Each structure stands twice: as structure tokens, then as C-alpha cells.
Amino acid sequence: LAFATILEEGVPIRITGQDVERGTFSHRHAVLRDVNTGKAYTPLQSLPQAKAAFEIFNSPLSEYAALGFEFGYNIQSGSRLVIWEAQYGDFINNAQAVVDEFIVSARDKWGQLPSLVILLPHGYEGQGPDHSSGRLERFLSMTVDNNLRVANCTTAAQYFHLLRRQAALLRVDPLPLVVMTPKSLLRHPLTISPLAAFTGGGWQPVIDRQPVPGEQELPPAETVRRMVLCSGKVYADLVSSELHAAHPETGKARVEQLAPFPTHEVRELLESYPNLEEVVWVQEEP
């Protein structure tokens, strides 16, 4: 939906990465193939209302070369939404020099304005030590002077608005965007968004407490004495716990944008709880 609306608004899109045509698991299916003839069909290339080109390619499993090429493509074609996706977040390991020397440094070193989007499935997903983390901290440690956006969104609508915002900012405020995309949330009921969340609203850097399935209404703000701030899939673990309903004095809010850090939004959220005594940050990895 996000890609289709971006194309409708005249912004071309390029996506590369291992298995991006079908999706790294089962969340895209951008290219379909006839089982009898093998002929490929790309629905996003056949939208009658599209005003721009859509291209998507499976790239070799040489992340250093692939990401380096996409960086160069992005610099030469700044008005195009260029996206590189890792099948697992640790695949960025082999391309770390491209990140350090070019993606996060080009603005300061050479006055270049990259806006490359990097999608990194991350988190402890049960796929072994080499696939256990996209190492979010390595990107946060390189954010300085507004050189990078880092997001860890938890709902379909948030991802929709995040991609649309990135496309809208290509001309006016280009910055690379790193998005953590946990595989365990692909089919999780908590990530489902109502249609109204797509047609209205927009990107939310911070999401306050929300009722979860089975919860009739939220406890009043006055009852909250401890606020737990978290980001990404660990939110689903917290509100799915049997301890959630037993502790109405503990609120759980999500920081969806980690860089630039939404200081103003976090302050506003905390100030909306008059009896708050403690603020805790919770995460699922080192």
C-alpha cells in the first residue's frame, strides 16, 4: 500500500536485496511467477494510477558490493526512493565499511545527501547466534548532527506512514533511514492497523498506552506510577504477558523513532501522567 501510494504521487522506487522479489519471508510477494510458464508479473508495475517507475531486483549475497552500489545509485538519483533490505539484520556486518565511510559520513565529508533506506530484520527470533540481532546500537552510536534516521515501528500503519514520510522528504530533508523489521511481528495480531489509520493520521514518533485485545479500557492516567518505555517487538512481549493486566499501575509506551530522538514527544507523554514516580527503559537485547 505504501509503495503504491508513493508511485501514485510520482516518486519512483527501487528495491534490492536477497529475495526481495518474493519477500524475505512472506510479507511482500512483489513479483509473482506463472507456475506453468515461469513468466514474471510485478503488480506494482501495472498500476494504472502510477506516475513513476517501480523496480525490484534480487541482489547477490555480497552485501558489501550490493549496499555500496545502492549508495552510489541513491546519490546519483536523489529523487528516487532507494531501499536495500537484508534477509537478516546481521547481513549488514559484511557492509559495515559502506555504512561507516559513506552512508553516515557523506553529508559531513563531501556535502552529499544520501536518503537510502536500509531494512534490517532484527531481534532474538530463534534463528541462531549469527541471526540474533541487527545490532541497533551500532547505528545509534553513529547518529550525530542529524545524519541518520532510525526507526523501530510496531504497527502496519506506522510502517506505511514511515515509508511515505521518507519519500516526501527526499527533496526537502534527505537523510538515510534505518528501519528494524522484526520477523516475529509479521503475523502478530498486535501489529494490525484499522483502515482509518492508513487513510488518516500520520507517523507517530512515540505511541502512548493503548488497549490491547481483551482489554476493555485503559486504567486512568492517574493510576500510573511507573512508565515503561520500549521500542519494537519487545512491546508485544510486555503486553502479552500475564503480568500486564495484574499491574495497572505500570504503563507501557513505545518509542518508535530512536534517532533523531523525539525528546519533545517523550516529555509530553511523561508530563501527561500526574502521579508518575518512575520511568524505566526496557529492551530485548544488549
Side-chain angles (χ1 to χ4, degrees):
L1 287 175
F3 295 150
T5 60
I6 291 169
L7 295 172
E8 184 180 13
E9 292 172 3
V11 178
I13 299 173
R14 172 183 172 87
I15 307 176
T16 61
Q18 187 189 27
D19 288 335
V20 291
E21 292 182 0
R22 67 171 172 86
T24 59
F25 266 38
S26 60
H27 62 298
R28 181 175 295 119
H29 299 299
V31 179
L32 307 174
R33 296 188 183 276
D34 187 300
V35 294
N36 295 314
T37 67
K39 185 178 180 180
Y41 173 68
T42 304
L44 286 167
Q45 292 177 346
S46 303
L47 295 174
Q49 68 271 46
K51 299 184 182 69
F54 176 81
E55 54 183 349
I56 184 165
F57 302 108
N58 291 338
S59 61
L61 193 58
S62 174
E63 294 83 8
Y64 176 75
L67 192 59
F69 184 90
E70 296 310 316
F71 171 80
Y73 196 107
N74 172 223
I75 291 298
Q76 293 298 316
S77 185
S79 60
R80 182 181 304 258
L81 185 64
V82 180
I83 301 172
W84 178 79
E85 180 178 63
Q87 190 166 53
Y88 281 95
D90 63 276
F91 283 22
I92 197 71
N93 291 353
N94 290 335
Q96 192 59 40
V98 178
V99 176
D100 293 352
E101 303 300 331
F102 297 95
I103 293 174
V104 301
S105 306
R107 191 183 188 99
D108 187 54
K109 279 184 178 179
W110 305 297
Q112 295 176 326
L113 301 175
S115 56
L116 183 68
V117 178
I118 300 175
L119 304 179
L120 297 178
H122 108 299
Y124 293 134
E125 308 280 12
Q127 298 295 329
D130 57 331
H131 288 328
S132 66
S133 173
R135 307 201 184 281
L136 178 60
E137 68 274 8
R138 67 167 59 160
F139 294 98
L140 295 179
S141 69
M142 292 186 287
T143 58
V144 63
D145 294 334
N146 196 33
N147 67 333
L148 190 64
R149 294 188 185 103
V150 181
N152 196 4
C153 44
T154 54
T155 72
Q158 280 285 88
Y159 187 50
F160 174 85
H161 290 299
L162 178 65
L163 290 175
R164 284 181 49 78
R165 183 183 70 158
Q166 183 72 4
L169 293 175
L170 290 176
R171 289 291 193 186
V172 295
D173 188 16
L175 283 178
L177 170 65
V178 176
V179 189
M180 313 313 288
T181 54
K183 295 178 184 293
S184 63
L185 295 185
L186 283 175
R187 302 175 188 84
H188 201 293
L190 286 174
T191 67
I192 296 172
S193 298
L195 287 177
F198 296 89
T199 57
W203 169 250
Q204 301 178 72
V206 178
I207 300 179
D208 201 352
R209 295 182 307 152
Q210 288 186 342
V212 296
E215 195 172 29
Q216 298 300 318
E217 59 183 22
L218 287 172
E222 291 74 16
T223 67
V224 176
R225 299 196 306 274
R226 167 189 285 179
M227 179 57 69
V228 171
L229 299 177
C230 62
S231 185
K233 77 184 190 74
V234 74
Y235 170 78
D237 299 331
L238 292 172
V239 297
S240 300
S241 167
E242 60 185 14
L243 299 174
H244 173 69
H247 291 276
E249 79 284 359
T250 300
K252 302 164 192 71
R254 287 164 276 178
V255 180
E256 303 273 291
Q257 178 176 302
L258 296 168
F261 190 77
T263 305
H264 175 72
E265 290 85 351
V266 171
R267 182 182 291 116
E268 276 193 340
L269 180 143
L270 297 178
E271 289 176 349
S272 68
Y273 292 92
N275 298 320
L276 202 60
E277 299 172 1
E278 185 179 21
V279 179
V280 180
W281 177 266
V282 174
Q283 62 190 40
E284 78 275 26
E285 60 174 321

